[in-house]
Amino acid sequence: QDSLGGGAKTIMLLHISPEVASQQESLSTLQFGVRAASVERPAQVKSSPAAPLNSVQMKKTLEDLSIKNKEIDTQKANIQKITSEAQATARELEEKNTELRKVQLELRHRNAKLEQSQSEVSLLKNRIAALEAANSKVESSMKVLRKSNSRESREGVPNRFGYSAGSGLKRRDSPASSEANGEGAAAAVAANGKSGKSKAEIEEQVAWGDDDDGQSD
């Protein structure tokens, strides 16, 4: 197999016979030899075993191995340092993420409080607007009342107390008129029994000299 595969030199011997009876067989053998000689296979050179190293070469090889081992140790130290730094960075990032989550939670709480405060402010604004509207109505009524009082003062029209502004009249509850007021109150109570007014209200009305229509008597 090695000779056919090109791993060795091949020598082929052909045996023929000079006999006439073997002529055909000899011819066939020679033809086979011609065909076998025409086959060419490239030779494969086998490597020889390595020669043993001498002491100088062995020393140099050991030095190279030592240098390579030192480089490997240095690379391992660098890898460990990088790994430690990466782990420290990961822990720092985790702490920052925890703080960030706390800040986000606090922001959510503050936003909820802010929304609640805004709702309360909106309600207060609505109440203030309603109060301002009511105050505006009261001021309008006061202005109308002031104008009416000013007109009555100028015209000398008696007001509900039975005297005009600036007339110098006072309430008729002096000792001289107390008896008359008492009689007037009794008469008013008898006359206004069906009006629904209390005795105190009727006495107050009589004291000021008002009649049922709020005019001075």
Side-chain angles (χ1 to χ4, degrees):
Q1 292 180 357
D2 292 338
S3 62
L4 295 178
K9 184 180 290 186
T10 302
I11 297 175
M12 182 175 290
L13 297 175
L14 301 176
H15 179 72
I16 60 175
S17 175
E19 296 293 334
V20 177
S22 302
Q23 180 180 0
Q24 188 65 32
E25 185 178 355
S26 297
L27 180 61
S28 177
T29 301
L30 291 174
Q31 289 175 351
F32 173 75
V34 170
R35 288 195 303 271
S38 64
V39 176
E40 293 183 359
R41 299 286 296 175
Q44 296 179 358
V45 180
K46 295 182 179 180
S47 59
S48 59
L53 298 175
N54 54 24
S55 59
V56 177
Q57 292 177 344
M58 188 175 294
K59 185 177 180 180
K60 184 177 180 181
T61 302
L62 292 174
E63 289 177 353
D64 294 338
L65 290 175
S66 177
I67 293 171
K68 290 183 178 180
N69 288 331
K70 289 180 180 180
E71 291 177 355
I72 292 172
D73 292 338
T74 303
Q75 291 179 356
K76 286 182 179 180
N78 292 332
I79 291 172
Q80 290 179 356
K81 182 179 179 180
I82 293 171
T83 303
S84 300
E85 291 177 354
Q87 291 176 354
T89 304
R91 288 193 296 270
E92 185 177 357
L93 288 175
E94 184 65 24
E95 292 176 357
K96 289 184 178 180
N97 288 331
T98 304
E99 293 178 358
L100 181 61
R101 286 192 290 269
K102 291 181 179 179
V103 171
Q104 289 177 348
L105 184 61
E106 185 177 358
L107 285 176
R108 291 194 188 98
H109 289 317
R110 290 187 178 181
N111 287 332
K113 290 181 179 179
L114 181 60
E115 291 177 356
Q116 184 178 1
S117 299
Q118 289 177 350
S119 178
E120 293 177 356
V121 168
S122 179
L123 292 176
L124 289 175
K125 286 182 178 180
N126 293 333
R127 291 180 182 178
I128 290 171
L131 290 174
E132 287 179 350
N135 189 22
S136 178
K137 291 181 179 180
V138 171
E139 288 179 354
S140 299
S141 300
M142 291 295 293
K143 287 180 181 180
V144 172
L145 184 59
R146 290 192 190 98
K147 289 181 179 180
S148 177
N149 289 336
S150 176
R151 181 175 56 80
E152 291 177 356
S153 298
R154 289 194 302 269
E155 295 177 357
V157 179
N159 56 20
R160 67 179 301 274
F161 300 109
Y163 60 89
S164 60
S167 63
L169 295 179
K170 298 181 180 179
R171 176 171 170 165
R172 297 182 297 178
D173 53 0
S174 61
S177 61
S178 59
E179 183 177 356
N181 289 339
E183 294 176 358
V189 169
N192 298 314
K194 298 181 180 181
S195 63
K197 295 182 180 180
S198 65
K199 182 178 180 180
E201 292 177 348
I202 295 172
E203 290 177 353
E204 182 72 13
Q205 179 179 354
V206 172
W208 289 103
D210 293 344
D211 56 9
D212 293 337
D213 296 332
Q215 298 293 331
S216 173
D217 56 1

